[in-house]
């Protein structure tokens, strides 16, 4: 038995959870934790685990926290029978690296509650199973729990993960807190529970593209020098905003209530300056804005104070000091440490959260209303604000804030999500956050892959692509060049770029060839964020620009998980929750190990093509013109891909709904301008009859 050293004081810890378990549920939580250990240890561990449950709201099993340096070791150092298992171990330990993870001892990678595992017993069991797995076995994971190794075959995934797969009627926030405390389900966020997180670099690139395209759409500029972007959050994901501001050349002001998170980004060099004075903050903002110098400034304080100060400056000077605004608090988890009320200091808020959850909730909702009121005033004067897919507008609406847009579409608010206005068309073109990890741990291997990716994109441009695709390729080439200069690697030697199907497949094939030739020293793991073209069904984020009524359907993400599994993925994951919160989204991801073999190339071509085409086809069927163009091109290039593309509904569909013809007793239609006179209606019927003929309907 290892010594129980408890919680480390020198690292940040997750907020205390308040699952409100009954006495019977507490007993069950304890029993569920003890079943990992032989009976002779139960007397010792029972009181220890019960104390953890009472004090922290969950049994993390701190005694079993590994006393080794937690990081992504070179792949050859892992004791495994197969390289693919060693690659998975490399990825798991990166997710738990204290320089990467938000709350490492609570196994939280990012987002406040994005778990890798539920407890440390699960970590040890998974690492043991991975050291034993062969090419004829698959490790099955149930919400952090390794069910075991099951017989399979060479072409099956080595690991299949599901997280949070709760029956829909019971998938509520309160039920989740209970089930997580009892150790029977887990919130894996997106890449936390699928072991594919690569540190804040993963979101830096997406933030760079978002801010660049926001400037193009809202401000009509390519150069963001002197433009001010105000937002909040410097945690595991939101910390990317500081570096992104510098890369795009704007003035970024990011508020953060947690001093530890702020200092972490400052020490990493991602924040250029920090201050806890609003006067100093405004002075630095004005100077950078006037001189058009890039700045990433961390304000240690509540973002509501910052927004209200900007309103004060507007009211007293008539000067609008902010051009672009957003929010990246963990608002998917607003009452458990994801969003802090302005009325209390950080430490007092944490105490109240545990002692009086009801009062804490009321203060959070009052704060949301105040934040929205300030944003609305600035927006009315010309600031452009968007929801960053963190459920900010959704929670603000639930709090009674003025975010309604007056329409019938439940996914639309007063302000758009970044998918609706900025990134949605990029997804429809097939572009999304493709990434790779060099398991050698050697920075030189990463540099080699950067050169390979740049060469692939430049060759594609030279061969000829559409104007919209060319712009995305140029943005990605610029990103790779900037990424190398800005030292974006935190943890594993990883890179991300937004690529389409053709780019992903070509880069994968080229990297695999480089491994075969010895130019890259060890296998490379391909992956992506679940936040992608096909990976996520999320009506308030990834699929918020789906307008055919299917935004709340999850077929795409589930099909993607299944399709990746039998097309060659090394591991696959399917999650409930991620980004916008528990019960609000279904998402999935994969890992694919390239080892230089011809089999790896075959898998990459087949799996990556499906992984993009699935989502583009769904977006095409919903009516997106970019997706139609993209999927038609894919069908031209691959004769085995055959789809029924949507027939564009003519005006008859609207007319049929709007016109209510008066009918006399004999049944004759008296309305002269009835829909049967509409040529579009006849054309629509003609298409429908043709479709019926070919299908036998």
């Amino acid at each position: 038995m290892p010594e129980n050293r408890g919680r480390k004081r020198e690292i940040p810890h997750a907020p205390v959870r308040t699952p409100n378990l009954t006495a019977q549920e507490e007993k069950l939580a304890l029993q569920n934790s003890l079943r990992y250990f032989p009976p002779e240890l139960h007397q010792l561990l029972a009181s220890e685990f019960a104390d953890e449950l009472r004090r922290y709201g969950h049994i993390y099993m701190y005694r079993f926290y590994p006393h080794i340096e937690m990081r992504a070791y070179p792949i050859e150092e892992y004791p495994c029978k197969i390289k693919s298992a060693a690659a998975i171990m490399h990825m798991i330990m990166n997710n738990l690296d204290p320089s990467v993870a938000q709350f490492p001892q609570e196994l939280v990678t990012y987002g406040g509650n994005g778990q890798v595992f539920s407890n440390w017993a699960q970590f040890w069991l998974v690492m043991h199973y991975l050291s034993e797995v062969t090419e004829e076995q698959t490790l099955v994971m149930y919400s952090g729990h390794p069910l075991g190794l099951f017989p399979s075959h060479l072409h099956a995934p080595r690991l299949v993960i599901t997280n949070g797969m709760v029956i829909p009627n019971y998938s509520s926030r309160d039920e989740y807190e209970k089930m997580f405390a009892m150790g029977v389900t887990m919130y894996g966020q997106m890449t936390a529970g699928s072991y594919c997180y690569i540190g804040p670099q993963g979101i830096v690139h997406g933030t760079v593209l978002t801010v660049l395209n926001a400037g193009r759409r809202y401000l009509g500029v390519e150069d963001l020098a002197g433009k001010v972007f105000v937002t909040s959050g410097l945690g595991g994901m939101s910390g990317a905003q500081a570096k992104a501001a510098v890369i795009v050349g704007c003035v970024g002001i990011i508020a953060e209530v947690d001093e530890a998170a702020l200092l972490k980004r400052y020490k990493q060099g991602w924040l250029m300056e920090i201050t806890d004075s609003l006067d100093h903050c405004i002075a630095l903002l004005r100077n950078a804005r006037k001189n058009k110098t890039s700045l990433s400034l961390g304000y240690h304080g509540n973002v509501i104070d910052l927004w209200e100060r900007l309103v004060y400056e507007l009211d007293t000077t008539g000067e609008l000091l902010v051009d672009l605004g957003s929010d990246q608090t963990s608002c998917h988890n607003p009452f458990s440490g994801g969003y802090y009320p302005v009325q209390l200091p950080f430490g007092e808020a944490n105490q109240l959260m545990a002692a009086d959850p009801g009062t804490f909730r009321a203060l959070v909702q009052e704060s949301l209303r105040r934040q929205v009121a300030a944003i609305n005033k600035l927006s009315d004067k010309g600031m452009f604000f968007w929801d960053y897919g963190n459920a900010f507008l959704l929670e603000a609406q639930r709090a009674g804030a003025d975010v309604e847009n007056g329409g019938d579409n439940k996914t639309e608010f007063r302000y758009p999500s970044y998918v609706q206005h900025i990134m949605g068309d990029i997804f429809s073109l097939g572009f999304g956050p493709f990434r790779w990890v060099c398991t050698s741990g050697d920075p030189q291997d990463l540099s080699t892959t950067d050169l390979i990716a740049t060469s692939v994109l430049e060759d594609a441009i030279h061969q000829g692509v559409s104007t919209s695709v060319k712009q995305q390729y140029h943005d990605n080439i610029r990103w790779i060049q900037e990424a190398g200069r800005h030292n974006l690697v935190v943890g594993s030697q990883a890179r991300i770029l937004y690529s389409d199907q053709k780019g992903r497949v070509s880069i994968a094939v080229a990297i695999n060839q480089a491994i075969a030739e010895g130019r890259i020293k060890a296998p490379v793991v391909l992956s992506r964020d679940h936040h992608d073209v096909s990976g996520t069904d999320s009506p308030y984020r990834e699929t918020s620009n789906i307008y055919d009524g299917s935004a709340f359907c999850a077929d795409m993400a589930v099909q993607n998980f299944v399709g990746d599994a039998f097309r060659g993925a090394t591991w696959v994951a399917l999650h409930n929750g991620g980004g916008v919160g528990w019960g609000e989204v279904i998402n999935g991801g994969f890992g694919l190990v390239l080892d230089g073999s011809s089999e790896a190339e075959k898998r990459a071509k087949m799996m990556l093509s499906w992984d993009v085409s699935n989502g583009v086809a769904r977006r095409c069927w919903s009516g997106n013109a970019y997706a139609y163009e993209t999927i038609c091109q894919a069908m031209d290039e691959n004769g085995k891909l055959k789809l029924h593309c949507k027939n564009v509904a003519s005006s008859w569909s609207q007319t049929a709904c709007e016109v209510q013809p008066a009918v006399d007793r004999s049944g004759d239609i008296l309305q002269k301008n009835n829909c049967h006179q509409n040529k579009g209606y006849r054309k629509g019927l003609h298409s429908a009859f043709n479709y019926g003929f070919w299908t036998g309907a």
Side-chain angles (χ1 to χ4, degrees):
M1 285 285 284
E3 178 188 354
N4 185 8
R5 302 181 186 181
R7 305 211 312 177
K8 290 187 174 183
R9 293 185 177 182
E10 65 271 20
I11 60 174
H13 291 280
V16 174
R17 297 179 177 276
T18 54
N20 297 317
L21 299 181
T22 65
Q24 180 59 34
E25 288 167 340
E26 287 182 357
K27 182 179 179 181
L28 193 56
L30 195 58
Q31 291 173 345
N32 288 345
S33 296
L34 291 172
R35 60 184 169 178
Y36 285 100
F37 304 94
E40 59 268 24
L41 299 178
H42 286 188
Q43 183 176 358
L44 171 65
L45 294 177
S47 59
E48 191 173 296
F49 290 170
D51 182 61
E52 283 189 25
L53 184 61
R54 283 191 296 267
R55 293 177 65 185
Y56 309 120
H58 188 73
I59 300 171
Y60 297 105
M61 306 183 186
Y62 290 114
R63 176 188 288 270
F64 300 98
Y65 179 72
H67 299 302
I68 58 172
E69 182 184 358
M70 187 70 74
R71 63 181 176 87
Y73 290 87
I75 190 172
E76 63 270 13
E77 296 187 24
Y78 290 99
C80 293
K81 294 180 179 178
I82 54 176
K83 287 290 187 183
S84 56
I88 298 169
M89 296 170 89
H90 179 95
M91 301 289 281
I92 288 172
M93 292 189 73
N94 185 68
N95 271 24
L96 294 168
D97 181 340
S99 70
V100 174
Q102 186 179 13
F103 305 125
Q105 272 201 291
E106 287 76 40
L107 304 106
V108 172
T109 300
Y110 70 91
N113 60 350
Q115 303 284 149
V116 184
F117 304 108
S118 181
N119 59 57
W120 286 105
Q122 293 174 349
F123 166 81
W124 286 108
L125 275 173
V126 167
M127 298 300 270
H128 168 71
Y129 280 131
L130 288 173
S131 73
E132 294 292 322
V133 68
T134 70
E135 297 285 14
E136 295 182 337
Q137 293 170 301
T138 294
L139 175 57
V140 175
M141 299 289 300
Y142 280 16
S143 291
H145 170 67
L147 193 64
L149 296 175
F150 289 78
S152 60
H153 55 82
L154 176 66
H155 302 293
R158 299 281 70 80
L159 172 65
V160 175
I161 303 166
T162 53
N163 283 312
M165 291 292 107
V166 173
I167 304 300
N169 280 354
Y170 304 92
S171 188
S172 68
R173 191 175 285 159
D174 290 341
E175 290 287 347
Y176 164 72
E177 292 294 345
K178 284 179 175 287
M179 285 187 277
F180 178 62
M182 289 189 289
V184 296
T185 196
M186 190 183 85
Y187 185 73
Q189 264 286 358
M190 290 190 165
T191 51
S194 65
Y195 321 144
C196 294
Y197 189 65
I198 60 168
Q201 179 194 173
I203 191 65
V204 171
H205 184 31
T207 307
V208 165
L209 290 179
T210 299
V211 177
L212 275 177
N213 285 292
R216 290 164 179 160
R217 179 179 181 116
Y218 297 136
L219 307 179
V221 298
E222 289 284 338
D223 183 2
L224 288 169
K227 303 300 182 184
V228 178
F229 173 46
V230 172
T231 182
S232 56
L234 287 166
M237 296 289 280
S238 55
Q241 298 177 108
K243 180 60 77 173
V246 176
I247 292 175
V248 302
C250 73
V251 180
I253 314 296
I254 306 102
E256 174 58 63
V257 293
D258 185 352
E259 186 178 24
L262 182 101
L263 291 175
K264 184 175 183 178
R265 298 303 172 208
Y266 183 61
K267 290 174 183 177
Q268 286 174 340
W270 288 35
L271 284 170
M272 296 166 66
E273 297 199 46
I274 57 176
T275 182
D276 59 3
S277 164
L278 278 173
D279 290 339
H280 190 211
C281 180
I282 296 300
L284 290 170
L285 182 160
R286 287 183 184 276
N287 183 64
R289 182 170 178 257
K290 177 182 177 181
N291 296 319
K292 295 189 175 182
T293 55
S294 62
L295 173 67
S296 59
L297 171 63
Y299 167 61
H300 181 212
N302 198 293
V303 72
I304 299 164
D305 289 328
L306 177 58
W307 282 119
E308 291 181 342
R309 176 59 182 267
L310 290 167
V311 171
Y312 172 81
E313 295 294 325
L314 176 65
D315 290 341
T316 57
T317 69
E319 191 175 12
L320 180 66
L321 294 178
V322 54
D323 302 285
L324 300 170
S326 192
D327 183 279
Q328 270 205 50
T329 54
S330 295
C331 220
H332 66 275
N333 188 35
F335 311 122
S336 299
Y339 184 96
Y340 281 84
V342 69
Q343 302 91 337
L344 296 173
F346 181 64
E348 290 182 25
N350 276 323
Q351 293 173 5
L352 183 67
M353 188 193 312
D356 189 352
T359 299
F360 183 83
R361 177 187 291 257
L363 292 178
V364 163
Q365 293 189 322
E366 180 187 335
S367 297
L368 282 165
R369 293 191 294 270
R370 281 177 58 178
Q371 182 172 346
V372 168
I375 289 168
N376 288 349
K377 289 180 181 178
L378 296 167
S379 177
D380 288 344
K381 296 299 181 180
M383 179 194 74
F384 294 93
F385 184 89
W386 67 88
D387 182 288
Y388 226 125
N390 59 338
F392 172 70
L393 290 179
L394 180 62
E395 289 300 332
Q397 180 193 50
R398 290 168 176 168
D402 182 15
V403 295
E404 302 286 351
N405 78 336
D408 293 330
N409 193 328
K410 290 189 291 185
T411 65
E412 292 188 331
F413 297 99
R414 177 171 182 162
Y415 303 106
S417 82
Y418 74 120
V419 173
Q420 287 171 320
H421 269 201
I422 303 170
M423 299 299 285
D425 285 340
I426 292 176
F427 282 169
S428 294
L429 287 166
F431 283 84
F434 179 57
R435 57 180 61 168
W436 59 88
V437 176
C438 298
T439 64
S440 66
D442 188 344
Q444 185 55 50
D445 276 355
L446 183 60
S447 296
T448 300
T449 63
D450 283 347
L451 293 173
I452 289 170
T454 301
S455 176
V456 166
L457 297 179
E458 288 175 341
D459 287 348
I461 292 171
H462 180 72
Q463 292 170 13
V465 292
S466 69
T467 302
S468 52
V469 169
K470 182 187 292 186
Q471 183 183 62
Q472 298 305 318
Y473 280 176
H474 278 305
D475 283 349
N476 277 291
I477 291 169
R478 172 184 172 183
W479 158 256
I480 293 174
Q481 294 166 346
E482 293 285 347
R485 285 198 289 265
H486 285 277
N487 300 317
L488 290 171
V489 170
V490 178
S492 59
Q493 293 295 314
R495 184 68 72 227
I496 184 173
L497 59 79
Y498 267 59
S499 185
D500 59 353
Q501 177 179 322
K502 183 177 182 179
R504 297 185 204 204
V505 172
S506 299
I507 291 170
V509 169
I511 289 176
N512 193 61
Q513 185 63 36
I515 297 169
E517 295 169 355
R519 290 187 288 130
I520 296 173
K521 292 179 282 298
V524 171
V525 175
L526 300 182
S527 184
R528 57 162 171 76
D529 196 342
H530 299 196
H531 164 69
D532 195 19
V533 182
S534 306
T536 300
D537 282 297
S538 179
Y540 295 101
R541 196 162 84 171
E542 285 81 357
T543 48
S544 60
N545 67 333
I546 299 291
Y547 299 116
D548 67 349
S550 69
F552 291 87
C553 301
D555 300 84
M556 178 178 73
V558 175
Q559 288 279 0
N560 222 67
F561 162 80
V562 175
D564 284 351
F566 65 74
R567 286 181 173 88
T570 308
W571 75 94
V572 289
L574 185 67
H575 296 185
N576 170 12
V580 296
W582 180 265
E584 304 285 356
V585 50
I586 298 294
N587 61 90
F590 72 88
L592 174 60
V593 177
L594 298 178
D595 59 7
S597 66
S598 58
E599 175 65 22
E601 178 177 325
K602 180 181 177 182
R603 287 171 177 247
K605 287 179 177 179
M606 181 176 293
M607 201 223 75
L608 292 175
S609 295
W610 154 256
D611 196 65
V612 176
S613 286
N614 173 39
V616 176
R618 187 268 178 95
R619 293 167 194 279
C620 170
W621 185 241
S622 75
N624 186 283
Y626 284 114
Y628 178 86
E629 173 189 333
T630 303
I631 205 66
C632 285
Q633 181 179 344
M635 285 192 285
D636 288 342
E637 294 172 355
N638 187 342
K640 295 180 180 179
L641 177 63
K642 298 181 184 295
L643 301 170
H644 179 78
C645 293
K646 175 181 178 178
N647 290 305
V648 179
S650 302
S651 58
W652 71 267
S653 57
Q654 182 175 352
T655 306
C657 293
E658 291 178 352
V659 176
Q660 301 296 326
V663 182
D664 69 5
R665 292 178 181 176
S666 64
D668 294 329
I669 296 178
L670 303 178
Q671 185 90 20
K672 291 184 178 179
N673 63 335
N674 68 75
C675 59
H676 292 77
Q677 303 301 316
N678 188 297
K679 293 181 180 178
Y681 173 79
R682 293 198 298 271
K683 183 177 180 181
L685 281 179
H686 180 70
S687 298
F689 289 144
N690 276 334
Y691 179 74
F693 174 79
W694 288 112
T695 59

